[in-house]
Each structure stands twice: as structure tokens, then as C-alpha cells.
Amino acid sequence: MSRTLYDKLVDAHKVCDLPDGDMLIYVDFHIMNEYTSPQAFSGLDTKGLDVWRPEAHLAVVDHVNATRSNEPHDAASKLLIDNLESNCTRHDIAFYGLGDQRQGIEHVVVPEQGLVTPGMLIACGDSHTTTYGAYGALGFGIGTSEVEHVLATQTLRYKRMKTMRVLIEGDTAPGVTAKDIIMKVVQVVGAGGANGFAVEFAGSATQNLDMAGRMTVCNMAVELGARAALIAADEITETALQGHSHSGRFTYNGESWHSDLEAVFDKEVTIAGGDIEPLITWGTSPDQSVPITAQVPVASDYVTPKAKAALARSLNYMGLTEGQSAQSIEIDTAFIGSCTNSRIEDLREAAKILTGRHVAAGVEAIVVPGSAMTRLKAEAEGLREIFEAAGFEWRPEAGCSMCLAMNDDIAMDGERVASSTNRNFEGRQGRGARTHLMSPAMVAAAAIAGHLADVRDFK
Amino acid sequence: MNDWQGKDGQMTKTIKGISAPLPLANVDTDVIMPKRFLITITREGLADGTFADLRFDNEGARRPDFILNKAPWTQANILVVGDNFGCGSSREHAVWGMRQLGIDACIGTSFAGIFYDNARKNGLALPIVSHQTRDLLLRFADDDNGAEIEIDLINRTITAGDIDAPFEMDPATQTALIRGRDDTLDSLEHAGAIREYEAGLKSKMRVSVIK
């Protein structure tokens, strides 16, 4: 019987069926951060439970820490960070804290440490855990009650999802990145279009991506509602697995971690790679995007009164007018970072645009490398000099930072940010802050121009 | 035959109350619980943070035009919501806050997966209805008489005035809501099966993180 990659992964991790229709699935590896785990540990305490298998967990500080220094910026964030460390010490769990050379954004750290291999099942109290699908592993986000459940049982209660395949066929044009590919998918499928589905990305444009690009695609798949995102493991995956700290210590062999040729998906979506242009979001949902060469929508683009009202609400929040050209949108801030786009490959792409150029007057530009290791590598390659010569602030510590503004990097009311992050929700980067999502190279281009700009104009 | 008996004999069979319309699509968990309320190590104290930027202005005053600030909807314990409610971040704080604000159910056409699972763990019912039923319920909820609606969890139906409509809910979620049991403790009853699964794993398939 032909199976999809998703079904193979679920089958390989099924522990048993439960009487109510759920199943128990085994979690090979579980990652925690400081803000969605405290109540899980206190739940264990209340119920008098131990951690089932402490060596299968890793805790990383990334959401609330300042990135200007390795000291917490206030007492509240210090409380969360110290709480995580003491919970890990108490339960004998690996902890990568501030100042640790392995610390960084959890989804950047895990592949860097060789902690993901094809065939694994990985859970984490963070929605962007879909990132690990890039390795042919089943990764998905969970809530705090489920964090407690994994700690206590090494399993989760699980319902098998429907499957969707997104084929991106044909080459993409120069200047079009993995970020543009996934933003296009979100635009086509819609912000909730994959609710209830596990999505597999396939087609030549997907297969041609390097691991960093595949991670960007799988990372943002949650923005179309996908609870899991997958890309088949291949030679590119195998090559990427070599030489990391944990490589060779464990592998998940025994299956070919790709969908069988005859496998049937519940839904298929096809997008032509050649149709994708560099995109920017104009609204407050990740599916509200247009090519950088286009204009913000007008009311007549929509049919129903509800849709027209939604457009008006988004434009009002964003401080934009109907039909305004994308490139006329002036920015206050440029931010390069986040689990979507802060890897060494992302920094290299942005540095290419910044070389020999300078950020426009009045624009504050910040880059937060995704991990301590990423930063050191970038500094060794001379990228820090390029960013700093261009007028970017190069942050010495890693974390989520302005992507969700849980630390001291908070955009002000009305401040407009060109951002390499994943969510443009109302208030995401600060109360009243206005976020435009785009690729890291496009953020660099916008920083230089002072307004949203076409990266293809920067030869 | 479904085993709906709770551990202590308690069951939640129906949810009744005043419903408030919140028709916006894609209401995300950043909007439900803004990040400034997340710097906490407990589950408590989140009622004020729930929908904070919709309920309060920059000075902390109530926005008089927001639905939950207007009578009779200040008493609402059921929300009728737009498509793809609860998208975005995995933060369970969004659900904890809604419960602490007194919300027992959200009726919608689709919910984000992590939010849906978080809701089940905290006794927040999320009946899924057709677009047509949702739009009828939005209109009903808009009625300022504050008429009550009733959600029957056993038979999976919603009654509101002349509206009598079925809703979707998977059996595991339905059972969890009715019985109100603890998933972690229940799953530990399968410890033998978990150990058996682990025994079948080759040593190379067991993750062991370097400390």
C-alpha cells in the first residue's frame, strides 16, 4: 500500500490506539523555551510526576532575552530565564542558557547541533516547530499542557491529519528566494487554508532549495494553518547532516523518508515557480501580500462587503491607502532575524545587497543572528563588517527579539518595520506597530532605499 | 457506547449563555493575548490581558465600541467567531485568559490546530459549524436582547431561537470536554505500551542530548 511521507512518520511513531479515537504517538525529541514551559513543570509538581526520559529534551532561552547583551534586561525576563534553568537542573535536562556558545533561537540551534535527522518526531511549545519538516522529520508546535504531557509520558495524544501536497514546479527567477516561495503559498492557500492538514512541499523548485531555504518554507507553513510541513529527505539532506555535534550519535533509519510514487494526497495545489515574484505583505495577515512591483489592493478587488470591510480595517491599521504602490511605502525600521530568516545563508544574501551601500537617513536597521554559532561564523566570514559599514546594528546575542517583541526590542505605535520575520499581525512587533514581511535581501534593499524596494534593482 | 463518566462523576453536558459576535477572520493569539501579558510563570492573572488591545485603549480605558464592553455582551460566555480563529502562536495563555474572562465556548467554521488542542485541555468548547449556520448565529448574537443559546455537547447540536443546527467535534475532544479528565494522568495508564514501544527502538534511534 502506497503511503505519504506523513503517514510513514505517523505509523513509525504510533504507540497505541486510545479508546476515544486518538492515538498515543512517541516523541523522539522535545524542545522547550522559557515562556511556554514554566506551567508545564509546575503541572508535574502538582501531580507529583517525574520526567519520563530527561535526555530526550533540550531547553533553550530565546524568546524573552535581550540581544544587546547576555544579561536579562529586566527582572521579569530574568525570572523566566532563571525558572527554566532551575527546572532543567532539577529534572536533569540539557539547558542552553545565555552566554552558552550553543544558545540561540531554538529552531536555528537544533539543526546546527545535528539534533534533527529524517524520520524523527519532534515537538516543541512553539508553532514554528514545523521547521523540521525540511529534514523529512515530523515537527509540530504544542501548547503548554501538551509540554507537560510530553515531559511526563514522552508521548502525545494525536489525531491523524489530512494530507496536502504543494507542488512548486519549474525554476524561480533570480531574486526570488525561499521566503518568496512560501509567502506565495500562503497567499494562494490562504491563512487558514491548510487547517487540519499536514502539508508536503514537492516539485523541482522545492527540491532545488538548500537546507536553509527548505527550513524557511517549512517554518512558515504554519501561517497557512498547516500543523506539520514536510519535504522528502534526499542527497541535500544527507550532506547537511554531516559534521554536527550530535551527528552519528543517533539516526532514524529503516524507512525511505519520502512519499511513495503512488501515494494519494487529500488535496493538491500546484504553483509555477516562474510565476513567483519577490513579495511584500501590505496587511495584517501573512496571506495579504503583493509583488514588490504591484500596488496595495483596492476595495473593488473584493466582492463581499465583509471582505471590503476587512481590507479597510487592515489598511487603517497599516496606515496605507488603497492602490498605493508597494515601493512608495516608507519605512522607519529594518529588522533581519527570527527562526524564519536568521541563518548564515540569510545573512549572506542580505550582505550581498548591503556591500558598498548605506542605510537611508532616518532608518534604524538591526540584525540579530539566529544563534551564537551563526554569529561567530558570520563574523569569521567578514559579514559583520559589511552590515556595520552599511549602518546596521549588529547584535552580539541571539534570540527572537523584534519578531515578537517579547524582549526590549519593541516597535512603537505607528512605527513601520520591513521585517524578515513570519507574522504581520496587529501588535505583533509592538502595540500599533506596522510590519511588512519580506525576504532578508528585500529588507536590506528597503533599508538602503528608505522605502520598500525591489531587490532586483540592486545589482 | 461512549464512556462519558468523569473521574468524580461530574460531566459537562451543555453550555448555555449569552453569545457575542466577533466576526473578524484570522483572529490570532497575539490579538487574544498580547505578548506583554506572557512574561509570567503561572497560569493565573490573564483575564485582563485577554483581547486587551481590543478592549482597552492606550490609556487603559475601556473602548465603548468593542462588543464585550457593551451590555448585554459584557455577560457573554459564548463567542461566535470568524474563520481561522486562534491562528498564530502556540501560546496556551490565550486559552487560559479566555477561560478566566468567563468564555466557555467559541462557535466558528475553522480553528487553528494548536489553539483547538489547547482549548480541549482547558474545557473551552469549539463547536465547528457551516458558514451558513455561523452567519445565522452571528446575526442572532448581534440581537441586543441578550437571548441565550444552548450548546448540547452530547448530541452535538446548537439551539438559538429558531436555529437548531448540528456541529462537528471529533469524539476524543467531545469526550475530553464532557468528562473533564486529565490527559497526562490518563495517558500514564498506558505506561506499559510506551515502555514496549521504547524497547523496540534501536539504540541509534534514541535521542540523547549532550548537556
Side-chain angles (χ1 to χ4, degrees), chain A residues 17-23 158-160, chain B residues 171-172:
Chain A
D17 285 313
L18 296 172
D20 59 11
D22 277 357
M23 64 176 102
Y158 194 75
K159 252 185 308 292
R160 198 182 288 263

Side-chain angles (χ1 to χ4, degrees), chain B residues 22-61:
Chain B
L22 209 64
L24 285 176
N26 306 320
V27 170
D28 58 76
T29 54
D30 274 79
V31 165
I32 301 173
M33 187 61 66
K35 73 250 338 105
R36 59 188 181 280
F37 301 97
L38 302 176
I39 318 282
T40 174
I41 59 169
T42 71
R43 294 174 182 233
E44 284 77 44
L46 292 166
D48 283 350
T50 312
F51 299 118
D53 294 347
L54 299 176
R55 285 163 68 208
F56 307 107
D57 66 20
N58 287 354
E59 278 68 52

Side-chain angles (χ1 to χ4, degrees), chain B:
Chain B
M1 190 66 191
N2 283 302
D3 172 19
W4 279 325
Q5 201 62 39
K7 267 212 169 96
D8 52 3
Q10 295 292 309
M11 287 191 280
T12 306
K13 294 180 189 169
T14 56
I15 297 169
K16 269 188 238 183
I18 296 175
S19 58
L22 209 64
L24 285 176
N26 306 320
V27 170
D28 58 76
T29 54
D30 274 79
V31 165
I32 301 173
M33 187 61 66
K35 73 250 338 105
R36 59 188 181 280
F37 301 97
L38 302 176
I39 318 282
T40 174
I41 59 169
T42 71
R43 294 174 182 233
E44 284 77 44
L46 292 166
D48 283 350
T50 312
F51 299 118
D53 294 347
L54 299 176
R55 285 163 68 208
F56 307 107
D57 66 20
N58 287 354
E59 278 68 52
R62 280 180 197 277
R63 295 182 193 273
D65 52 340
F66 181 60
I67 189 81
L68 296 178
N69 289 336
K70 293 190 281 193
W73 299 289
T74 48
Q75 303 299 315
N77 64 331
I78 296 167
L79 304 179
V80 184
V81 298
D83 301 346
N84 193 33
F85 188 85
C87 61
S89 156
S90 66
R91 59 188 70 164
E92 197 165 319
H93 310 64
V95 173
W96 297 332
M98 287 176 69
R99 296 296 282 139
Q100 290 164 28
L101 195 64
I103 307 298
D104 298 318
C106 286
I107 303 167
T109 57
S110 60
F111 297 93
I114 305 176
F115 181 82
Y116 188 84
D117 289 348
N118 287 342
R120 154 187 164 161
K121 303 274 183 184
N122 293 279
L124 175 68
L126 303 179
I128 296 172
V129 296
S130 68
H131 280 87
Q132 190 190 6
T133 299
R134 193 271 314 275
D135 290 347
L136 288 171
L137 288 170
L138 275 176
R139 240 173 285 155
F140 182 86
D142 224 349
D143 177 353
D144 64 3
N145 294 324
E148 288 206 342
I149 74 172
E150 181 170 329
I151 300 166
D152 180 338
L153 288 174
I154 304 265
N155 296 306
R156 286 181 297 190
T157 54
I158 297 171
T159 320
D162 298 339
I163 306 164
D164 189 356
F167 65 81
E168 271 178 53
M169 184 178 281
D170 68 273
T173 300
Q174 182 189 22
T175 308
L177 288 170
I178 293 170
R179 302 199 324 178
R181 289 179 62 170
D182 186 295
D183 279 351
T184 304
L185 296 176
D186 277 1
S187 294
L188 278 172
E189 291 173 8
H190 302 275
I194 301 169
R195 284 202 194 91
E196 200 177 312
Y197 178 90
E198 284 183 328
L201 290 177
K202 298 186 194 85
S203 64
K204 277 282 214 180
M205 289 157 75
R206 287 190 205 179
V207 174
S208 178
V209 182
I210 302 169
K211 282 217 259 180

Side-chain angles (χ1 to χ4, degrees), chain A residues 214-392:
Chain A
R214 293 179 186 190
M215 282 193 267
T216 299
V217 167
C218 289
N219 174 284
M220 270 189 77
V222 71
E223 313 314 335
L224 48 131
R227 192 71 186 276
L230 291 166
I231 293 175
D234 59 12
E235 300 75 31
I236 292 173
T237 325
E238 288 300 321
T239 306
L241 292 171
Q242 310 305 316
H244 297 285
S245 306
H246 290 83
S247 292
R249 282 170 61 93
F250 50 83
T251 50
Y252 223 95
N253 291 326
E255 279 274 11
S256 46
W257 298 112
H258 56 75
S259 293
D260 295 330
L261 278 176
E262 306 294 318
V264 177
F265 293 79
D266 296 304
K267 194 170 176 184
E268 298 259 9
V269 175
T270 303
I271 293 170
D275 287 351
I276 305 173
E277 284 195 70
L279 294 171
I280 60 108
T281 60
W282 53 265
T284 55
S285 176
D287 57 357
Q288 292 176 318
S289 61
V290 289
I292 185 62
T293 50
Q295 291 79 38
V296 168
V298 295
S300 58
D301 294 340
Y302 298 89
V303 179
T304 65
K306 205 189 267 178
K308 288 179 200 286
L311 170 73
R313 183 187 169 93
S314 288
L315 292 182
N316 179 51
Y317 180 86
M318 291 299 292
L320 300 173
T321 52
E322 283 184 36
Q324 183 176 348
S325 82
Q327 297 190 49
S328 72
I329 300 171
E330 296 184 357
I331 63 161
D332 303 303
T333 306
F335 177 73
I336 295 177
S338 85
C339 60
T340 309
N341 282 124
S342 65
R343 296 183 176 80
I344 189 74
E345 293 84 351
D346 300 313
L347 303 183
R348 287 177 190 144
E349 287 302 309
K352 275 187 210 162
I353 306 299
L354 296 174
T355 302
R357 298 194 173 98
H358 200 276
V359 167
V363 172
E364 186 186 7
I366 303 164
V367 54
V368 182
S371 68
M373 275 179 63
T374 301
R375 176 177 57 81
L376 291 172
K377 193 169 188 179
E379 288 176 350
E381 288 182 16
L383 300 184
R384 177 179 180 164
E385 282 81 1
I386 294 171
F387 274 94
E388 290 189 333
F392 263 78

Side-chain angles (χ1 to χ4, degrees), chain A residues 421-441:
Chain A
T421 57
N422 41 56
R423 288 178 178 144
N424 51 343
F425 299 155
E426 289 184 18
R428 172 81 176 178
Q429 296 188 295
R431 195 170 186 170
R434 294 160 171 165
T435 305
H436 296 277
L437 303 177
M438 61 197 77
S439 73

